[in-house]
């Protein structure tokens, strides 16, 4: 039986639980799945290019980098439903009066780790597109470089800066804002002032060397994971997915433009 | 950045992101409004939470039944049987403790060595049980060593919390040390029947003393199925005692030690809880006086004992595809 080796970055201690659960889902099916955990996305991309792994569970930046390093030959196999329409949210202190990108003029914008698409690269791109690049003071919190913002740590640091009046606005992924603002925990303290257009986040990336039939069979089994199956659901909750879906590549256009514009290197 | 204030919700989010699912994460709250905000957040996220003076502890949902990974987790906890003698002679004591039993006490040196080794092996939490730990003449030193290493819980009947022993208790750090008090029923009946006449009221008094001293008190009840009223009655009483629901542990009678009936427990089907006694390392505190739960001599050290546990768990899981049950002790 063929076994496809999937790479994932261990951005949380739960990564082992998640991937053992996904491996269990594939057990007895063709192709089988095993996994390798990496400490950062750069190592994972290199491992994919070197053929050490067959599939990489990539962030959007890791996808863009793999795309650049393969001359566009790589292909996306699947993504989470949550990856299809991810957004960046800008958050300020409640009552700040800020609304929209224009209101960032002469303000201090706290960004997350420099390799976080949602909390650094794209927010800066939106600021530049709005013609505000020279009129916004950028404060960076590079607290989880290598994880592409997955840990959420740098976004929390950016929010702390806003709460401490060290910054006026913090940039973060919609998942972080949804997570911290549950139960109106920041009502009267923080408020969103702008939300970006939707873009795509993670995907499973493979190289052309992966046989189409094998890749299709693997994706087919992945898509069979069900929120209604208690065993699957436990894994899916930890991974933040309700449904695995086929990739929608146009959702990466924004990040491709931002990476080119900011000259973010394919290898840091 | 200068003096960034902590925020209880952000601290919880950050702590949970770094903790395995199901691991409790505690954060400091500045005032009741902060506590209420964090509690509201935890509830909205579906997390269990417990609050105390100036803090909240949150536990994300752990893996649901039916999907435990094949690699059964061994809790990162280390139990110490500080001594085997007790001021009580309970009818069902799992390790046969009585006032007449030889203490077989752990020394400070042993505990210090095990704590150091344990921290190196990934142990994050310590439990001190007996016998009655407050009979150990060096309990203060033992608890201090453990509390420096991690969260520490003393399992006690709380009947001795007066005089010099109360003074010892008062010197323990509140944020690091908790008590887990054995109380089997909401009225003296069942508790006194198993533990001796007049013991219930003294344990209740001990709980109140510990609470007044600012300690987190959990209550552990051993229940026989014979009286279905025992559970609801205890719950009503613990409501009255302001013991949070999350701090109540109810477990069935274990057929071990002095007990002549109860749930049969064997290492093969029991999630291990590494336990050190004067006689060595054991699979679980519930069998710390039984040879079938013995792992090895004290000299083997925590790291090797943990590895031995791991090997036995994995081997049993592979051989029998065993389903490991939990017998809660905390």
């Amino acid at each position: 039986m063929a076994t496809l080796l999937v790479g994932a970055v261990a951005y949380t201690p739960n990564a082992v639980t998640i991937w053992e659960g996904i491996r269990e889902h594939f057990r007895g099916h063709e192709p089988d799945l095993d996994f390798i955990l990496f400490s950062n996305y750069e190592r994972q991309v290199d491992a994919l290019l070197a053929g050490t792994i067959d599939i990489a569970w990539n962030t959007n930046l890791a996808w863009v980098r793999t795309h650049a390093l393969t001359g566009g030959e790589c292909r996306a196999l699947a993504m989470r439903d949550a990856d299809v329409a991810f957004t960046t949210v800008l958050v300020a202190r409640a009552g700040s009066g800020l609304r929209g990108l224009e209101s960032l003029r002469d303000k201090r914008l706290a960004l997350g780790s420099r390799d976080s698409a949602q909390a650094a690269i794209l927010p800066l791109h939106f600021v530049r597109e709005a013609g505000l690049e020279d009129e916004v003071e950028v404060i960076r919190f590079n607290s989880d470089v290598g994880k592409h913002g997955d840990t959420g740590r740098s976004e929390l640091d950016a929010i702390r800066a806003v709460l401490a009046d060290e910054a006026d606005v913090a940039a973060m992924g919609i998942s972080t804002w949804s997570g911290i603002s549950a139960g109106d925990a920041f009502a009267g303290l923080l408020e969103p002032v702008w939300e970006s257009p939707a873009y795509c986040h993670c995907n499973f990336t493979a190289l052309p060397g992966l046989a189409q039939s094998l890749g299709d069979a693997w994706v087919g089994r992945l898509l069979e994971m069900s929120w209604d199956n208690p065993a699957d659901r436990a894994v899916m909750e930890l991974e933040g997915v309700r449904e695995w879906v086929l990739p929608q590549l146009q959702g990466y256009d924004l990040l491709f433009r931002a990476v080119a514009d900011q000259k973010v290197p394919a290898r840091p | 950045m200068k003096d960034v204030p902590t925020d209880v919700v952000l601290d919880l989010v950050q702590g949970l992101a770094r903790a395995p699912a199901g691991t409790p994460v505690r954060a400091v709250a500045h005032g009741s409004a902060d506590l209420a905000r964090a509690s509201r957040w935890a509830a909205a996220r579906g997390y269990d939470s417990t609050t105390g003076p100036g803090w909240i502890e949150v536990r994300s949902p752990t893996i649901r039944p039916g999907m435990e990974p094949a690699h059964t987790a061994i809790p990162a906890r280390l139990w110490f049987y500080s001594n085997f003698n007790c001021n009580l002679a309970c009818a069902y004591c799992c390790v046969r403790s009585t006032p007449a039993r030889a203490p077989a006490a752990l020394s400070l040196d042993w505990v210090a060595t095990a704590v150091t080794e344990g921290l190196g092996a990934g142990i994050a939490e310590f439990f001190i049980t007996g016998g009655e730990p407050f009979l150990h003449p060096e309990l203060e030193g033992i608890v201090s060593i453990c509390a420096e290493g991690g969260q520490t819980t003393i399992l006690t009947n709380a009947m001795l919390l007066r005089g010099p022993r109360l003074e010892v208790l008062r010197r323990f750090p509140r944020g690091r040390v908790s008590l887990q008090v054995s109380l089997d029923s909401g009225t003296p009946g069942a508790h006194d029947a198993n533990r001796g006449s007049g013991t219930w009221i003294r344990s209740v008094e001990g709980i109140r003393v510990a609470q007044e001293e600012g300690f987190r008190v959990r209550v552990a009840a051993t229940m026989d199925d014979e009286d279905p009223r025992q559970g609801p009655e205890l719950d009503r009483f613990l409501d009255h005692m302001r013991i949070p629901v999350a701090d109540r542990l109810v477990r069935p009678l274990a057929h071990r030690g002095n007990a002549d009936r109860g749930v049969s427990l064997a290492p093969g089907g029991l999630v291990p809880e590494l336990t050190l006694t004067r006689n060595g390392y054991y699979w679980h505190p519930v069998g710390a006086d039984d040879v079938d739960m013995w792992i090895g001599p004290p000299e083997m050290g925590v790291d090797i004992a943990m590895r031995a546990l791991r090997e036995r768990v994995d081997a049993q899981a592979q051989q029998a595809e065993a389903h490991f049950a939990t017998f809660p002790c905390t």
Side-chain angles (χ1 to χ4, degrees):
Chain A
M1 179 180 287
T3 297
L4 293 185
L5 200 49
V6 178
V9 168
Y11 66 91
T12 160
N14 296 319
V16 172
T17 307
I18 292 168
W19 285 97
E20 285 190 338
I22 294 176
R23 181 171 62 184
E24 195 60 31
H25 173 76
F26 277 83
R27 191 182 297 279
H29 291 264
E30 176 79 25
D32 206 348
L33 174 153
D34 204 352
F35 63 92
I36 295 177
L37 296 179
F38 293 86
S39 69
N40 62 76
Y41 281 100
E42 283 61 55
R43 292 279 184 211
Q44 178 170 293
V45 169
D46 284 347
L48 179 68
L49 297 176
T52 309
I53 54 175
D54 301 300
I55 298 170
W57 178 225
N58 272 341
T59 59
N60 41 8
L61 179 62
W63 161 253
V64 169
R65 282 176 163 165
T66 307
H67 198 274
L69 292 167
T70 60
E73 291 297 309
C74 57
R75 74 188 156 106
L77 300 178
M79 56 184 15
R80 301 172 301 187
D81 50 354
D83 291 314
V84 175
F86 208 82
T87 60
T88 289
V89 181
L90 300 183
V91 173
R93 289 173 76 94
S96 67
L98 302 179
R99 283 291 178 276
L101 278 180
E102 271 297 319
S103 65
L104 263 59
R105 197 179 301 278
D106 298 326
K107 301 298 180 198
R108 300 161 298 175
L109 171 62
L111 298 181
S113 289
R114 60 178 176 269
D115 58 9
S116 167
Q118 66 271 19
I121 299 171
L122 285 170
L124 197 55
H125 179 70
F126 298 128
V127 166
R128 285 183 171 193
E129 280 198 327
L132 298 171
E133 183 183 9
D134 297 329
E135 302 182 54
V136 173
E137 180 189 346
V138 169
I139 305 167
R140 289 184 181 271
F141 292 90
N142 291 311
S143 346
D144 61 353
V145 171
K147 303 287 198 301
H148 294 190
D150 276 359
T151 72
R153 170 63 195 268
S154 65
E155 296 166 59
L156 298 179
D157 287 341
I159 300 166
R160 289 187 177 105
V162 170
L163 290 171
D165 200 25
E166 298 285 333
D168 299 300
V169 181
M172 69 201 74
I174 181 66
S175 55
T176 296
W177 174 243
S178 301
I180 68 168
S181 60
D184 289 330
F186 284 92
L189 293 172
L190 296 171
E191 60 187 11
V193 299
W194 183 77
E195 184 170 1
S196 77
Y199 54 86
C200 282
H201 206 273
C202 301
N203 73 48
F204 285 106
T205 310
L207 299 188
L210 177 68
Q212 185 76 38
S213 57
L214 210 52
D216 289 348
W218 187 87
V219 170
R221 180 59 186 155
L222 179 75
L223 266 51
E224 285 175 6
M225 285 190 88
S226 168
W227 187 258
D228 297 326
N229 177 333
D232 291 345
R233 179 167 171 165
V235 176
M236 296 172 88
E237 283 186 13
L238 284 175
E239 184 51 40
V241 53
R242 283 188 75 95
E243 185 184 8
W244 295 103
V245 298
L246 295 175
Q248 299 187 18
L249 296 182
Q250 68 277 13
Y252 293 104
D253 291 349
L254 265 175
L255 186 59
F256 274 107
R257 289 209 303 273
V259 164
D261 187 40
Q262 293 171 40
K263 298 184 173 54
V264 177
R267 276 205 172 88
Chain B
M1 200 160 65
K2 62 184 181 191
D3 291 338
V4 176
T6 58
D7 179 85
V8 61
V9 173
L10 298 182
D11 292 350
L12 288 172
V13 171
Q14 186 170 316
L16 287 164
R18 295 171 60 181
T23 305
V25 170
R26 187 177 286 204
V28 173
H30 302 284
S32 56
D34 234 14
L35 269 181
R37 189 163 72 83
S39 298
R40 211 169 57 234
W41 174 83
R45 296 287 291 170
Y47 299 158
D48 292 332
S49 67
T50 308
T51 59
W55 56 264
I56 179 168
E57 192 170 274
V58 168
R59 191 188 298 258
S60 65
T62 187
I63 308 168
R64 279 138 177 86
M67 70 76 54
E68 281 85 355
H71 197 72
T72 300
I74 297 177
R77 298 191 281 249
L78 179 59
W79 291 73
F80 293 109
Y81 262 85
S82 59
N83 54 299
F84 278 87
N85 57 323
C86 189
N87 53 323
L88 300 180
C90 301
Y92 53 60
C93 181
C94 63
V95 292
R96 308 172 180 89
S97 288
T98 67
R101 180 160 181 182
L106 287 179
S107 70
L108 272 179
D109 285 349
W110 280 33
V111 172
T113 301
V115 167
T116 302
E117 291 174 350
L119 292 173
I123 297 292
E125 199 171 359
F126 301 97
F127 293 82
I128 301 164
T129 186
E132 170 50 55
F134 277 91
L135 289 176
H136 195 301
E138 294 183 305
L139 181 68
E140 182 172 3
I142 289 173
V143 172
S144 299
I145 290 167
C146 291
E148 276 184 30
Q151 286 294 325
T152 299
T153 301
I154 308 168
L155 283 76
T156 175
N157 55 43
M159 292 170 61
L160 303 176
L161 301 182
R162 57 181 185 274
R165 292 187 177 103
L166 177 56
E167 292 306 315
V168 167
L169 177 71
R170 283 177 172 150
R171 290 194 283 273
F172 293 150
R174 272 63 174 173
R176 299 285 269 184
V177 174
S178 307
L179 298 188
Q180 180 172 309
V181 179
S182 305
L183 193 77
D184 293 344
S185 51
T187 56
H191 183 96
D192 282 5
N194 286 317
R195 295 172 180 267
S197 179
T199 58
W200 183 87
I201 189 63
R202 288 183 60 191
S203 288
V204 170
E205 287 166 3
I207 291 171
R208 289 202 175 105
V209 166
Q211 287 177 320
E212 285 165 10
E213 292 294 334
F215 286 93
R216 177 184 178 187
V217 177
R218 295 199 290 261
V219 167
T222 299
M223 293 232 174
D224 208 339
D225 283 340
E226 288 182 353
D227 184 355
R229 295 166 303 177
Q230 200 176 339
E233 176 192 82
L234 179 62
D235 267 335
R236 282 194 296 276
F237 181 71
L238 295 181
D239 287 342
H240 167 70
M241 292 289 285
R242 298 187 178 180
I243 302 289
V245 172
D247 285 347
R248 304 174 192 179
L249 167 68
V250 176
R251 64 214 163 174
L253 181 64
H255 193 182
R256 285 267 162 184
N258 288 338
D260 58 6
R261 62 183 184 282
V263 178
S264 291
L265 297 168
L270 190 62
V271 172
E273 295 269 1
L274 186 62
T275 302
L276 177 62
T277 80
R278 252 272 292 275
N279 294 322
Y281 288 92
Y282 285 79
W283 187 277
H284 195 285
V286 78
D289 198 35
D290 296 327
V291 290
D292 67 326
M293 295 248 188
W294 191 72
I295 302 296
E299 297 78 23
M300 75 191 303
V302 175
D303 188 43
I304 294 175
M306 283 293 274
R307 276 189 264 168
L309 273 184
R310 173 86 270 153
E311 287 169 11
R312 284 175 64 174
V313 167
D314 288 349
Q316 287 169 359
Q318 283 174 1
Q319 285 168 11
E321 294 185 356
H323 294 284
F324 288 84
T326 300
F327 185 73
C329 279
T330 180

